[in-house]
Amino acid sequence: MKKLPGVRTPHRKNTANDPAEKLPIPPLVRIPMAMHIGAPAKLIVAPGDAVKVGQLIGEADGFVSSPVHSSVSGTVKSVETSDAATGENGVFAVIETDGLQTPLETLAPPIVGTREEFIAAVRDSGVVGLGGAGFPTAVKLSVKDVAAVEYIIINGAECEPYITSDTRTMTDDLDLLWEGIRLLKRFFSAKILIGVESNKPEPIKLMTARAETEPLARVCPLPPVYPQGGEKVLIYNLTGRVVPEGKLPIDVGCIVINCTTLAAVARYILTGMPLVEKRVTVDGSAVKNPKNVIAPIGTPVSALLDFCGGLGEDVGKLLLGGPMMGVAIPDASVPIKKSTNAVTALNARDARAPEPSACIRCGNCITHCPLGLVTVDIQNLYLAGKIESLSVYRPNLCMECGCCAFSCPAKRPLTQYMKLAKAALRNHEAAKQQSVN
Amino acid sequence: MKHLIVSPAPHIRGGASTSEIMRDVLIALLPAAVASVVIFGWRAALVIAVCTASAVFFEWGYEKLLKRSVTVKDLSAAVTGVILAFNLPASIPLWQAALGSAVAVLLVKQLFGGIGKNFANPAVTARIVLFLAFSRTMTAFASDAVTGATAVTGATVDGITGATPLAIAKLGGAALEGMPSKLDLFLGNHAGCLGEVSALALLIGFAYLLIRRVISWETPVIYVAVVFALSAAFGRDPVDAILSGGLMLGAIFMATDYVTTPMTFWGRVIFAVGAGFFTTVIRVYGSYPEGVSFSILLMNILTPYINRLTVPKPLGGLKA
């Protein structure tokens, strides 16, 4: 079957063979209540309260929401309402750690006899899409018709350069991953496929061996083309199905779960310990000793960087995530979230954006777009202010993977134009709706 | 910590830059340039040098004059100059060659806004302008015309002279006796413009462009295939038809210009079929023996419409 196009990014999986090291507990963590898509969690602790590891500190606020647990033991020092560095609004619980990491005594494995109990347990675990999207996993699993789920796809396609945290899940946490697969097999009748790129030989070898002794899932090696791990891309490349515009994977009988997400669910169901720590790849041209680090959620990025030998002299850019889709942060005080899978630090040379020149209409952005969007025309219509003509080109399908800008010989910021075009079209259509009403 | 750059993703870029692409095109043109010097002598090198230098100079001068950022480093003007030279006979007066560069770079490219904004291929259009304005020197392949060219420029042209294979095919009948052998046509051992005569050299360049992924196969292959098939249908020798005239040069280097040709696979297929059709029809029914540049220009004009007709449906996209 023909696979969707993409780009050949450099892999730079320098840390693929390094099991994660535990970060020493930082003196202070800052845990955001908004680490997922949906309503932020409601803070239920106050300054002065003593907290333990795994203790609920933020309640899920509605259906599309997720609870937040303390990642450390210590005392709530203060509550902040915005991030000083990013200006991001939201509630942050600042906790002074005692370094003991005492777990909450009442933590116990949940009882999961039925699918409803399983989904309730997933909700209580605080697990959200750990591949980066942060969509509450329980919401994803709450399907109306369980028979409609034909495929559950485990996403092990870690296609961003540098990042190896999922790679390490598939090797170090293989038992947890398989426990997760057993649970899915128990509560869903779907076929389970594991999508993983061929540039990860060790996970493929281990998982294939496991799938032979316990044949619950099929390991599907895929070409190491970016963005293989994109949800729509993975579904198409494994099943040939197309998720139509405005629909969800479940509408074509698929659920996609990141491998680390599934392992985190399994950990909760086995031990009762909710999602409180993350394996984070710290790498990039400005990092002295690249490592995989297991850190409590809320740890400032600076603590991770210090643990990896500090930054090189000429750091130019800090990213939460990888270089293709990561978000640049203005300073290292920003805390890591549930969905943070990497901290990438680029040196000044790598951080410099190239000077854009005139579009030469080569069509690279079209041939490299996994979805076949005509990026060049969307760019031109946006720049010409012809917003009403944009809808034909369906810019809202764009997943902002960055292939267009990556492949552009004129070095134009095409992904940025796609974002702007999407927003402009949304505003235009909202205004049209308003004038009709 | 010093100030960090905060900018939107992606944070790394890949692939070739515009100037790297143009450099690859120049490398791909090199075999044909060498062949032209071997076949037509050093005058060929002089014509290439004059066209290239003047094209770069006009681009630089225009941008300096208008206080715009100078773009000669992207090498696109150099590519235009070399391709224009390839479309001229070795005996062309040098001032006409330079005038051609002025038409290509100033009129066709810069007046429309510079690189990426022109709708017509600069080299093709300049060739047509020169062809119409200076038909005598532009078709001075025949032995009797060479003396005239020599008188104008004071230079001598060695190498091959005589009627071009297309002129022979146009005359037909007894004239066909004078048609060079297929091997001579393939190697370039016949009369014609500088860069068009050696199919072998052009195909080497084509292979290089494919390996470097600068162009895709569809336009050149379909263009040549359509000319082959239609020529056979019109009763001409199809092998002679694809090896003579500017077809290989046009199909590989002019019909694949990014700016003036369609951006998608099916768009390029339409372009190539159209160009092949018009080329053959002009060759067979037109007053001129050759139709490559006219047909490419015609398809250039249609390109915006072809692009609009062939907007691909994105994966999962609903009908608008």
Side-chain angles (χ1 to χ4, degrees):
Chain A
M1 190 178 65
K2 205 168 175 301
K3 301 273 188 278
L4 294 182
V7 292
R8 298 258 173 190
T9 58
H11 295 308
R12 297 182 187 150
K13 304 281 191 183
N14 309 314
T15 53
N17 297 319
D18 309 335
E21 294 174 35
K22 275 229 169 206
L23 183 79
I25 300 307
L28 212 67
V29 295
R30 226 147 48 92
I31 305 178
M33 291 298 113
M35 295 190 272
H36 47 263
I37 291 175
K42 238 177 16 216
L43 188 73
I44 56 165
V45 289
D49 288 359
V51 290
K52 288 180 176 167
V53 180
Q55 184 177 335
L56 187 72
I57 58 170
E59 274 176 350
D61 192 12
F63 178 64
V64 184
S65 184
S66 183
V68 174
H69 303 84
S70 176
S71 59
V72 292
S73 61
T75 317
V76 179
K77 189 174 160 243
S78 61
V79 174
E80 291 177 3
T81 52
S82 73
D83 188 311
T86 60
E88 189 185 337
N89 284 324
V91 177
F92 296 78
V94 184
I95 303 173
E96 219 162 30
T97 61
D98 60 14
L100 301 173
Q101 287 303 87
T102 322
L104 187 69
E105 299 81 6
T106 52
L107 291 182
I111 296 156
V112 286
T114 65
R115 191 169 63 252
E116 286 65 36
E117 284 172 346
F118 171 63
I119 289 169
V122 174
R123 185 182 314 278
D124 293 342
S125 71
V127 174
V128 299
L130 301 182
F135 189 75
T137 306
V139 179
K140 197 181 258 186
L141 294 175
S142 307
V143 292
K144 280 192 203 87
D145 176 15
V146 73
V149 187
E150 290 172 69
Y151 290 102
I152 296 177
I153 295 169
I154 317 285
N155 191 346
E158 193 170 35
C159 50
E160 278 263 7
Y162 296 116
I163 310 181
T164 62
S165 54
D166 285 346
T167 306
R168 294 316 301 177
T169 296
M170 292 182 281
T171 47
D172 303 343
D173 293 343
L174 188 61
D175 291 333
L176 281 178
L177 183 60
W178 231 259
E179 177 59 25
I181 291 172
R182 268 180 229 126
L183 287 163
L184 291 176
K185 216 51 193 180
R186 210 166 112 204
F187 298 115
F188 295 87
S189 54
K191 284 196 195 73
I192 298 180
L193 307 177
I194 305 174
V196 52
E197 304 121 297
S198 59
N199 66 345
K200 300 173 181 56
E202 206 194 346
I204 291 178
K205 200 181 76 191
L206 291 173
M207 292 192 298
T208 311
R210 182 63 70 95
E212 269 166 28
T213 54
E214 204 180 341
L216 300 173
R218 191 155 59 86
V219 181
C220 308
L222 291 161
V225 172
Y226 178 88
Q228 194 63 262
E231 193 169 65
K232 286 178 181 178
V233 177
L234 198 58
I235 291 172
Y236 183 86
N237 285 351
L238 288 179
T239 70
R241 296 182 183 191
V242 175
V243 182
E245 196 175 347
K247 298 280 183 182
L248 295 169
I250 188 65
D251 295 311
V252 292
C254 296
I255 291 178
V256 181
I257 299 182
N258 169 272
C259 58
T260 303
T261 308
L262 187 59
V265 167
R267 186 192 305 274
Y268 176 71
I269 289 180
L270 287 178
T271 66
M273 178 56 80
L275 179 63
V276 293
E277 58 182 22
K278 262 315 284 290
R279 184 189 290 104
V280 178
T281 303
V282 183
D283 200 350
S285 48
V287 175
K288 286 203 182 109
N289 310 313
K291 275 178 193 164
N292 273 309
V293 182
I294 293 178
I297 287 161
T299 301
V301 165
S302 55
L304 289 153
L305 291 169
D306 290 342
F307 186 66
C308 297
L311 290 165
E313 272 303 293
D314 63 340
V315 58
K317 208 186 245 184
L318 273 183
L319 308 171
L320 285 184
M324 288 302 285
M325 287 187 79
V327 177
I329 51 175
D331 109 23
S333 69
V334 173
I336 63 158
K337 296 180 176 182
K338 287 176 180 175
S339 55
T340 304
N341 47 17
V343 170
T344 307
L346 300 177
N347 66 27
R349 196 174 61 91
D350 290 354
R352 209 175 40 226
E355 198 60 43
S357 56
C359 172
I360 54 170
R361 306 180 65 76
C362 64
N364 265 358
C365 51
I366 310 171
T367 44
H368 291 283
C369 177
L371 306 178
L373 293 165
V374 187
T375 313
V376 47
D377 284 347
I378 295 172
Q379 166 204 244
N380 291 339
L381 287 172
Y382 172 77
L383 289 174
K386 293 181 181 165
I387 306 303
E388 69 283 353
S389 312
L390 274 173
S391 58
V392 187
Y393 293 90
R394 319 318 272 170
N396 46 331
L397 283 167
C398 171
M399 52 187 176
E400 299 169 20
C401 65
C403 288
C404 48
F406 184 86
S407 63
C408 178
K411 312 294 172 198
R412 299 184 66 76
L414 292 171
T415 314
Q416 200 175 352
Y417 286 129
M418 292 299 283
K419 290 183 199 185
L420 291 166
K422 280 202 280 190
L425 184 62
R426 209 162 38 234
N427 292 341
H428 176 79
E429 277 168 2
K432 208 164 66 181
Q433 204 62 41
Q434 211 144 45
S435 66
V436 169
N437 292 345
Chain B
M1 196 188 295
K2 61 178 184 179
H3 286 293
L4 295 170
I5 298 171
V6 177
S7 62
H11 306 283
I12 52 169
R13 302 299 181 90
S17 65
T18 303
S19 57
E20 283 162 346
I21 289 171
M22 295 300 165
R23 193 190 58 204
D24 271 340
V25 176
L26 287 175
I27 292 171
L29 288 164
L30 204 58
V34 172
S36 74
V37 176
V38 170
I39 295 161
F40 298 106
W42 287 105
R43 186 78 214 281
L46 189 62
V47 173
I48 295 173
V50 165
C51 280
T52 311
S54 55
V56 171
F57 171 77
F58 286 129
E59 178 144 306
W60 176 84
Y62 181 88
E63 286 169 340
K64 274 283 172 201
L65 202 68
L66 269 72
K67 298 189 166 57
R68 292 192 181 154
S69 58
V70 173
T71 58
V72 295
K73 273 192 189 157
D74 67 26
L75 299 178
S76 65
V79 168
T80 298
V82 176
I83 294 181
L84 174 65
F86 278 14
N87 279 287
L88 307 176
S91 57
I92 186 95
L94 296 180
W95 69 269
Q96 291 180 2
L99 185 68
S101 287
V103 170
V105 169
L106 297 180
L107 276 177
V108 185
K109 183 178 174 189
Q110 288 298 347
L111 283 186
F112 282 87
I115 184 168
K117 304 291 198 303
N118 50 301
F119 73 91
N121 185 311
V124 167
T125 315
R127 177 198 141 88
I128 293 172
V129 169
L130 291 183
F131 188 70
L132 298 177
F134 310 109
S135 344
R136 196 170 58 87
T137 50
M138 279 294 286
T139 53
F141 313 112
S143 34
D144 58 345
V146 171
T147 43
T150 311
V152 172
T153 61
T156 53
V157 178
D158 48 275
I160 317 295
T161 53
T164 62
L166 282 177
I168 296 169
K170 187 110 213 160
L171 290 169
L176 288 176
E177 300 282 315
M179 183 64 96
S181 73
K182 297 220 175 354
L183 182 67
D184 279 345
L185 282 177
F186 182 69
L187 294 176
N189 217 1
H190 58 96
C193 294
L194 290 187
E196 70 181 23
V197 285
S198 174
L200 173 66
L202 293 165
L203 287 171
I204 294 172
F206 181 41
Y208 179 79
L209 291 180
L210 286 182
I211 291 167
R212 300 285 297 167
R213 292 166 186 263
V214 172
I215 61 170
S216 43
W217 62 271
E218 54 266 17
T219 308
V221 171
I222 295 173
Y223 188 173
V224 171
V226 168
V227 171
F228 183 90
L230 282 180
S231 298
F234 281 118
R236 288 195 172 194
D237 184 325
V239 178
D240 288 354
I242 63 168
L243 292 178
S244 42
L247 179 62
M248 288 284 178
L249 176 64
I252 296 169
F253 289 100
M254 282 141 54
T256 56
D257 172 35
Y258 290 149
V259 179
T260 57
T261 64
M263 292 182 293
T264 61
F265 176 85
W266 288 110
R268 288 195 283 264
V269 171
I270 296 173
F271 185 98
V273 170
F277 173 77
F278 288 120
T279 297
T280 320
V281 167
I282 293 171
R283 280 180 176 186
V284 175
Y285 293 110
S287 338
Y288 298 108
E290 179 56 305
V292 167
S293 32
F294 290 113
S295 56
I296 291 177
L297 181 60
L298 191 61
M299 294 313 290
N300 284 165
I301 293 168
L302 291 176
T303 292
Y305 299 93
I306 299 173
N307 272 333
R308 209 175 298 170
L309 275 176
T310 53
V311 172
K313 189 173 106 59
L315 191 81
L318 302 177
K319 271 217 154 67

